[in-house]
């Protein structure tokens, strides 16, 4: 287990280094000039050049890369060009909304997918199975932003149960904040839950054909107990793999959903930073999302070994 964790940790660090290089280079080759954007199209060239020097944009690319990496390691991410405030403070402020939103969406995704997938597998080739998988197929085809607008029309405009947008803030209380995130989380979760439900059904059906399942049934274990204890645990390897990828997609999906619901989260910050060509904010936010993806994959690999002790360091 120690060798397994060492190998995965080294892979984690190497992937983070590679991601940082790619993020930096991609933003470097984008057209446009941040100083020119801030000063306006009619600004004097001398003023633009002075601002570029102040922001460090005149330094060689490799120098700016090492300055950026040093800042990441020390927590000094610099100041935003557009907001004139520390980037770290901006990110932490927006993460207080985006992270609960992604976690709530992942919770809805997991609960819906496991219930639908296991129930469909238990009724294989019956009406319940066909009906649930048909609904899952429809869920896969629904775009997040369209479903978000539909939720607003039904629950905000028609029924007036929820606000159509905005965020109450955690200062108004935990439940007030969660209520503001329910519709955005559901709009994020519906597509991912539909995909995960199909994966769960397939994995459960495969495990149900194993000999130990027939043995458990022969001993008189109830169908529900067999499904939710014996079968589901052994079917979780492919399910957890997809869940890890989906959490990354949920983080990326917040960019669209937060703009639909006008939520002041990390996704909206990235959108505004791109519009303002605030590259220092974009670079750090994208690197944060990339790091989250890598860390989630690392956690998934560790969960493999926890769920299935047969997995050795040489297997992954």
């Amino acid at each position: 287990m120690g060798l397994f964790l060492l190998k995965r940790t080294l892979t984690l660090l190497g992937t983070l280094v590679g991601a940082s290089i790619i993020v930096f280079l991609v933003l470097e080759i984008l057209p446009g000039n941040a100083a020119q954007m801030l000063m306006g199209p009619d600004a004097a060239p001398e003023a633009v050049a002075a601002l570029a020097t102040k922001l460090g944009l005149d330094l060689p690319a490799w120098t700016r890369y090492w300055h950026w990496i040093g800042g990441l390691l020390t927590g000094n991410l610099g100041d935003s060009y557009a907001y004139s405030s520390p980037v770290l403070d901006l990110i932490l402020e927006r993460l207080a909304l985006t992270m609960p939103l992604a976690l709530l969406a992942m919770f809805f995704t997991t609960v819906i997918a496991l219930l639908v997938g296991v129930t469909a597998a238990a009724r294989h080739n019956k009406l319940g199975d066909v009906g649930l998988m048909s609904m899952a197929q429809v869920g896969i085809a629904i775009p997040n932003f369209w479903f978000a607008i539909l939720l607003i029309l039904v629950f905000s405009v028609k029924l007036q149960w929820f606000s159509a947008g905005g965020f109450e803030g955690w200062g108004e209380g935990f439940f007030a904040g969660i209520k503001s995130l329910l519709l955005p989380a559901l709009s994020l979760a519906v597509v991912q839950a539909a995909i995960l439900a199909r994966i769960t059904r397939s994995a459960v059906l495969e495990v149900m054909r194993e000999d130990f399942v027939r043995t458990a049934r022969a001993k008189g274990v109830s169908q529900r107990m067999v499904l939710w204890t014996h079968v589901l645990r052994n079917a979780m390897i492919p399910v957890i793999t997809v869940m890890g990828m989906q959490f990354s997609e949920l983080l990326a999906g917040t960019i669209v959903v937060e703009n639909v619901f006008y939520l002041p989260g990390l996704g909206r910050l990235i959108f505004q930073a791109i519009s303002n060509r605030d590259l220092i904010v974009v670079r750090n936010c994208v690197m944060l999302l990339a790091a989250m993806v890598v860390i989630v994959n690392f956690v998934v690999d560790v969960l493999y070994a926890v769920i299935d002790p047969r997995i050795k360091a040489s297997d992954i």
Side-chain angles (χ1 to χ4, degrees):
M1 188 65 176
L3 179 59
F4 170 76
L5 290 176
L6 177 62
K7 290 177 65 175
R8 300 315 300 165
T9 302
L10 292 176
T11 302
L12 168 70
L13 296 176
T15 306
L16 287 175
V17 172
S20 69
I21 294 174
I22 293 174
V23 168
F24 184 84
L25 291 179
V26 168
L27 292 179
E28 280 295 305
I29 64 177
L30 289 178
N33 184 292
Q36 186 71 62
M37 289 285 293
L38 292 173
M39 296 294 293
D42 300 326
E46 296 80 7
V48 174
L51 181 59
T53 301
K54 179 181 178 182
L55 298 177
L57 300 177
D58 59 332
L59 297 174
W62 65 270
T63 302
R64 285 184 280 118
Y65 174 76
W66 286 115
H67 287 172
W68 175 49
I69 295 298
L72 288 176
L73 295 176
T74 60
N76 181 17
L77 306 184
D79 294 335
S80 165
Y81 303 155
Y83 294 94
S84 299
S85 59
V87 175
L88 182 60
D89 292 346
L90 287 173
I91 292 178
L92 292 177
E93 179 184 354
R94 304 304 180 96
L95 270 181
L97 185 149
T98 298
M99 188 55 67
L101 173 60
L103 291 173
L104 186 60
M106 194 70 239
F107 171 77
F108 286 144
T109 297
T110 304
V111 171
I112 295 171
L114 292 183
L115 287 174
V116 171
V118 174
T119 302
R123 293 161 173 76
H124 182 49
N125 286 336
K126 296 180 180 178
L127 182 60
D129 180 23
V130 175
L132 289 174
M133 287 302 98
S134 298
M135 292 174 59
Q137 190 62 43
V138 173
I140 294 174
I142 295 177
N144 283 335
F145 71 91
W146 183 87
F147 191 66
I149 295 173
L150 180 63
L151 290 177
I152 291 174
L153 291 175
V154 174
F155 293 101
S156 299
V157 178
K158 184 70 175 178
L159 299 176
Q160 297 185 355
W161 290 354
F162 298 91
S163 172
F167 181 60
E168 293 287 341
W170 299 114
E172 299 296 324
F174 175 78
F175 291 104
I178 291 297
K179 183 179 179 181
S180 300
L181 298 181
L182 279 178
L183 294 186
L186 282 173
S187 65
L188 282 171
V190 60
V191 175
Q192 305 303 330
I195 296 172
L196 189 60
R198 296 182 67 88
I199 299 296
T200 302
R201 173 183 176 274
S202 299
V204 169
L205 285 175
E206 184 176 349
V207 175
M208 286 175 65
R209 301 186 183 100
E210 299 289 337
D211 292 337
F212 74 90
V213 176
R214 288 193 290 269
T215 301
R217 288 175 175 169
K219 290 181 177 180
V221 181
S222 67
Q223 174 78 351
R224 178 177 299 180
M225 184 67 68
V226 169
L227 281 173
W228 291 100
T229 57
H230 299 283
V231 174
L232 185 59
R233 177 173 180 176
N234 288 275
M236 284 303 291
I237 292 294
V239 174
I240 288 178
T241 302
V242 176
M243 287 173 63
M245 295 185 294
Q246 286 187 324
F247 187 73
S248 306
E249 294 178 8
L250 289 174
L251 288 171
T254 60
I255 296 178
V256 175
V257 170
E258 285 179 1
N259 279 279
V260 172
F261 286 94
Y262 207 74
L263 297 174
L266 190 65
R268 186 164 179 80
L269 176 63
I270 295 174
F271 178 80
Q272 293 171 335
I274 293 173
S275 301
N276 296 328
R277 195 164 175 78
D278 197 347
L279 292 186
I280 190 170
V281 173
V282 177
R283 181 183 298 129
N284 285 290
C285 288
V286 173
M287 187 61 209
L288 174 63
L289 293 177
M292 287 182 177
V293 171
V294 175
I295 292 171
V296 167
N297 288 331
F298 173 79
V299 173
V300 168
D301 287 343
V302 174
L303 287 176
Y304 287 164
V306 173
I307 293 174
D308 191 346
R310 296 171 298 176
I311 295 178
K312 307 295 183 183
S314 57
D315 296 332
I316 300 182

